[in-house]
């Protein structure tokens, strides 16, 4: 099983619908992140969480919300999906304590809003 | 504010060398490098911490000049497997907020 699992892998939804993307990890990391990737724009941070009680907005949080249900689960919701939220979404985890570890990314969710 | 990567794209023949640069206008604590193959997730290559160190990973190495807020990734004797998009991710100095800001990426294509 993958260390960081994202579901669904692909999703097509209609404008105005609420949708949830899920992320779970088996690495035991406290820190979890949601990024979106658009062609030519790189990865941009939506939300991040350092533990269950700590949720922080990233640079592009408008139109999104998150829930950290447990140390291992971090979900991203689009309250009312719009076409410009069509993108590839990645969840990532990190163990900063070592000072040497990078992010571990999930396989991504490709979301299309029509 | 996203770090700036250059070049945006580079095409190599197998065995050639390449350098990818990453610069920031903010004081940095660390710089990460990742490689993403088409349709896959980014994969961590290495991290460079404040202190101006240089690190290596197989034939891929990197340096970090904290005075200039710049990092460079060096790929020597490139292999076909090196093809992909390379991203730098920067962590601002202050260090307690471990979140990365990524550049827009550099597309590296290695041809036979």
């Amino acid at each position: 099983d993958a260390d960081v699992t994202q579901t669904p892998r692909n999703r097509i939804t209609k404008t105005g619908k609420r949708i949830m993307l899920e992320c779970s990890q088996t690495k035991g990391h406290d820190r979890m992140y949601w990024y979106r990737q658009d062609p030519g724009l790189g990865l941009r941070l939506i939300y991040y969480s350092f533990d269950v009680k700590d949720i922080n907005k990233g640079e592009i949080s408008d139109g999104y919300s998150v829930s950290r249900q447990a140390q291992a689960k971090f979900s991203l919701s689009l309250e009312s999906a719009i076409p410009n939220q069509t993108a590839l979404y990645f969840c990532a985890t990190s163990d900063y304590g070592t000072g040497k570890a990078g992010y571990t990314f999930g396989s991504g969710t490709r979301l299309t809003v029509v | 504010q996203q770090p700036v990567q250059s070049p945006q794209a580079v095409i190599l023949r197998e065995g050639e060398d390449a350098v990818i640069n990453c610069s920031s206008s903010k004081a940095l604590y660390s710089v990460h490098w990742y490689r993403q193959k088409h349709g896959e997730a980014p994969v961590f290559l290495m991290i460079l911490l404040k202190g101006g160190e240089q690190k290596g990973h197989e034939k891929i190495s990197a340096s970090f000049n904290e005075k200039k807020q710049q990092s460079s990734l060096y790929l020597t004797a490139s292999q076909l497997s090196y093809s992909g998009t390379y991203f730098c991710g920067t962590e601002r100095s202050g260090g307690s907020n471990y979140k990365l800001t990524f550049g827009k990426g550099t597309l590296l294509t290695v041809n036979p």
Side-chain angles (χ1 to χ4, degrees):
Chain A
D1 287 345
D3 292 328
V4 182
T5 302
Q6 290 185 235
T7 56
R9 290 295 308 273
N10 293 281
R11 179 73 181 266
I12 301 174
T13 193
K14 294 184 177 181
T15 297
K17 293 290 187 181
R18 185 178 190 276
I19 182 170
M20 179 181 289
L21 310 183
E22 298 186 339
C23 176
S24 63
Q25 53 118 342
T26 59
K27 296 189 72 71
H29 290 169
D30 288 327
R31 300 176 184 230
M32 299 186 73
Y33 311 81
W34 277 104
Y35 284 85
R36 67 175 277 176
Q37 185 174 33
D38 299 276
L41 296 182
L43 295 146
R44 293 181 292 165
L45 183 62
I46 306 172
Y47 270 96
Y48 60 104
S49 169
F50 289 168
D51 65 44
V52 174
K53 297 182 179 180
D54 180 77
I55 304 288
N56 303 278
K57 292 183 178 181
E59 56 190 286
I60 55 165
S61 60
D62 287 349
Y64 301 94
S65 63
V66 290
S67 172
R68 184 82 184 265
Q69 300 95 326
Q71 187 209 34
K73 296 182 181 294
F74 192 34
S75 300
L76 176 72
S77 293
L78 286 69
E79 300 301 325
S80 179
I82 56 177
N84 77 359
Q85 291 178 313
T86 293
L88 182 57
Y89 290 84
F90 284 106
C91 173
T93 73
S94 74
D95 178 16
Y96 187 62
T98 66
K100 297 180 181 179
Y103 283 10
T104 301
F105 284 87
S107 297
T109 294
R110 185 167 298 280
L111 177 67
T112 304
V113 183
V114 298
Chain B
Q1 190 171 6
Q2 285 183 289
V4 177
Q5 287 187 233
S6 63
Q8 291 184 339
V10 58
I11 299 175
L12 301 174
R13 285 195 178 275
E14 207 171 1
E16 293 181 337
D17 301 341
V19 180
I20 300 171
N21 299 301
C22 175
S23 65
S24 174
S25 59
K26 306 294 184 182
L28 299 178
Y29 178 76
S30 71
V31 179
H32 293 218
W33 286 96
Y34 293 79
R35 176 171 62 208
Q36 183 181 30
K37 293 188 177 290
H38 184 70
E40 298 181 7
V43 174
F44 173 68
L45 294 176
M46 65 188 77
I47 179 174
L48 299 106
L49 301 177
K50 187 176 178 180
E53 63 183 58
Q54 183 159 354
K55 299 187 73 172
H57 181 269
E58 299 178 342
K59 293 180 180 178
I60 301 174
S61 61
S63 63
F64 175 28
N65 184 326
E66 65 184 90
K67 290 183 179 179
K68 293 185 177 181
Q69 311 308 324
Q70 292 177 349
S71 179
S72 295
L73 185 71
Y74 308 94
L75 301 103
T76 58
S78 59
Q79 305 169 12
L80 297 177
S81 62
Y82 287 3
S83 292
T85 301
Y86 289 78
F87 293 98
C88 66
T90 57
E91 178 189 12
R92 289 180 58 175
S93 197
S96 60
N97 257 358
Y98 184 41
K99 58 182 176 73
L100 297 179
T101 303
F102 288 91
K104 294 182 178 181
T106 296
L107 177 61
L108 177 72
T109 303
V110 181
N111 292 320

